[in-house]
């Protein structure tokens, strides 16, 4: 681990080993906050990025297990789960064929042909005539305003947007905010209490959440909050809140 951190210039990491589902080793390496001299401990939390999708998938399957949802349920259209008025302004009728299963399997019809929806907020804000930062609903509305790249179910193409939509499905079916549903129905029953959706800015980070560092040659990104400021990707360059169900969770290794 120490060689790995040194090779890739990583400030800190957390490692856990389990044997037969029992925790047998937990250790922090490096710094949680180098400037403050705080070393990583096993209780420190990190952004877990797209591992968040597995959490969302489990939440979907819990709703299926509780007979509140079917994997074959359609998501859009008058008879779809997300039949709210803001999601009905589409021109490509193939949207009505997207199922929960398509979203889970990254087969709903989107590719990154023109970029990943969740990482082009400025372009979306301009086209949708919205103020920055844009809401996750706006990302979905934007996608619905365009044609699908392929017929749902035909191909696999990794999609952050698809899992953001699954977060909305969970909210609609459970009648609870996505984060609350996952915490109450998935995490708390198995004794996990330190997971939550992360925040975008350093000053808003959670208690015991590590400080994130960019690689030395990492280029800054345009802030999700305005059109002028260049900021680190970790703090305002990417919208962790909007990613939510697709990439927003923070957790400790244990």
């Amino acid at each position: 681990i120490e060689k790995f951190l040194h090779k890739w210039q990583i400030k800190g990491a957390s490692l856990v080993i389990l044997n037969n589902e029992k925790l047998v080793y937990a250790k922090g390496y490096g710094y949680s906050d180098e400037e403050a001299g705080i070393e990583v401990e096993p209780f420190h939390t990190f952004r877990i990025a797209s591992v968040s999708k597995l959490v969302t998938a489990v939440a979907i399957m819990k709703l299926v297990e509780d007979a509140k949802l079917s994997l074959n349920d359609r998501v859009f259209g008058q008879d779809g789960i997300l039949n709210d008025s803001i999601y009905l302004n589409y021109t490509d009728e193939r949207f009505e064929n997207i199922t929960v299963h398509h979203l889970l399997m990254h087969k709903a019809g989107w590719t990154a042909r023109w970029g990943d929806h969740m990482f082009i907020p400025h372009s979306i804000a301009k086209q949708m005539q919205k103020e920055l930062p844009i809401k996750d609903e706006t990302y979905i509305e934007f996608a619905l305003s365009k044609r699908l790249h392929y017929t749902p179910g035909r191909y696999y193409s990794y999609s952050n947007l698809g899992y953001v939509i699954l977060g909305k499905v969970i909210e609609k079916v459970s009648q609870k905010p996505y984060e609350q549903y996952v915490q109450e129905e998935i995490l708390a029953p198995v004794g996990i209490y330190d997971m939550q959706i992360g925040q975008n800015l350093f000053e808003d980070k959670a208690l015991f959440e590590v400080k994130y560092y960019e690689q030395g040659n990492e280029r800054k990104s345009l802030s999700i909050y305005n059109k002028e400021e260049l900021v680190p990707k970790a703090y305002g360059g990417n919208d962790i809140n909007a990613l939510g169900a697709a990439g927003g969770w923070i957790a400790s290794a244990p």
Side-chain angles (χ1 to χ4, degrees), residues 36 62-63 84 110 117 133 136 150 154-155 160 163 198 236 250:
K62 180 68 165 67
L63 290 170
D84 311 73
W110 295 287
H117 295 88
D136 45 6
Y150 62 87
R154 182 168 293 180
Y155 304 111
N160 281 302
Y163 270 74
I250 63 172

Side-chain angles (χ1 to χ4, degrees), residues 16-202:
V16 156
I17 299 173
L18 292 92
N19 184 39
N20 294 326
E21 298 191 15
K22 293 194 180 296
L23 182 67
V24 296
Y25 185 84
K27 182 173 172 59
Y29 296 84
Y31 289 96
S32 167
D33 185 328
E34 187 176 44
E35 290 76 15
I38 302 172
E39 296 182 345
V40 176
E41 299 287 352
F43 56 76
H44 279 114
T45 57
F46 295 73
R47 291 175 181 169
I48 63 171
S50 284
V51 176
S52 302
K53 292 181 176 66
L54 306 182
V55 178
T56 299
V58 170
I60 286 289
M61 296 310 296
K62 180 68 165 67
L63 290 170
V64 172
E65 188 177 73
D66 293 342
K68 296 180 179 178
L69 184 69
S70 166
L71 293 181
N72 294 320
D73 285 346
R74 297 184 189 277
V75 177
F76 296 109
Q78 291 288 353
D79 299 323
I81 299 168
L82 300 182
N83 56 4
D84 311 73
S85 59
I86 61 172
Y87 300 131
L88 293 177
N89 297 319
Y90 53 86
T91 56
D92 190 336
E93 293 183 357
R94 292 178 298 174
F95 277 107
E96 296 176 0
N97 296 325
I98 295 175
T99 66
V100 173
H101 189 254
H102 288 145
L103 294 172
L104 282 171
M105 302 300 290
H106 301 276
K107 292 184 175 182
W110 295 287
T111 69
R113 188 180 303 165
W114 297 294
D116 188 315
H117 295 88
M118 303 309 299
F119 294 99
I120 53 171
H122 293 85
S123 176
I124 292 176
K126 182 178 180 180
Q127 293 187 55
M128 299 298 289
Q129 299 183 327
K130 299 285 186 178
E131 294 293 324
L132 293 167
I134 58 176
K135 298 179 180 179
D136 45 6
E137 290 91 349
T138 302
Y139 288 95
I140 301 172
E141 288 182 83
F142 170 78
L144 289 169
S145 72
K146 309 295 182 181
R147 284 187 59 79
L148 283 171
H149 300 147
Y150 62 87
T151 298
R154 182 168 293 180
Y155 304 111
Y156 167 94
S157 183
Y158 190 84
S159 174
N160 281 302
L161 177 70
Y163 270 74
V164 171
I165 295 170
L166 285 174
K168 293 301 178 187
V169 168
I170 291 167
E171 290 187 338
K172 186 70 177 287
V173 174
S174 71
Q175 293 296 295
K176 292 181 180 180
Y178 164 78
E179 182 179 20
Q180 180 185 342
Y181 176 80
V182 172
Q183 288 174 331
E184 292 179 355
E185 301 296 331
I186 307 300
L187 303 177
V190 292
I192 299 174
Y193 302 103
D194 64 351
M195 287 180 64
Q196 63 189 84
I197 298 294
Q199 300 302 312
N200 291 324
L201 303 177
F202 175 77

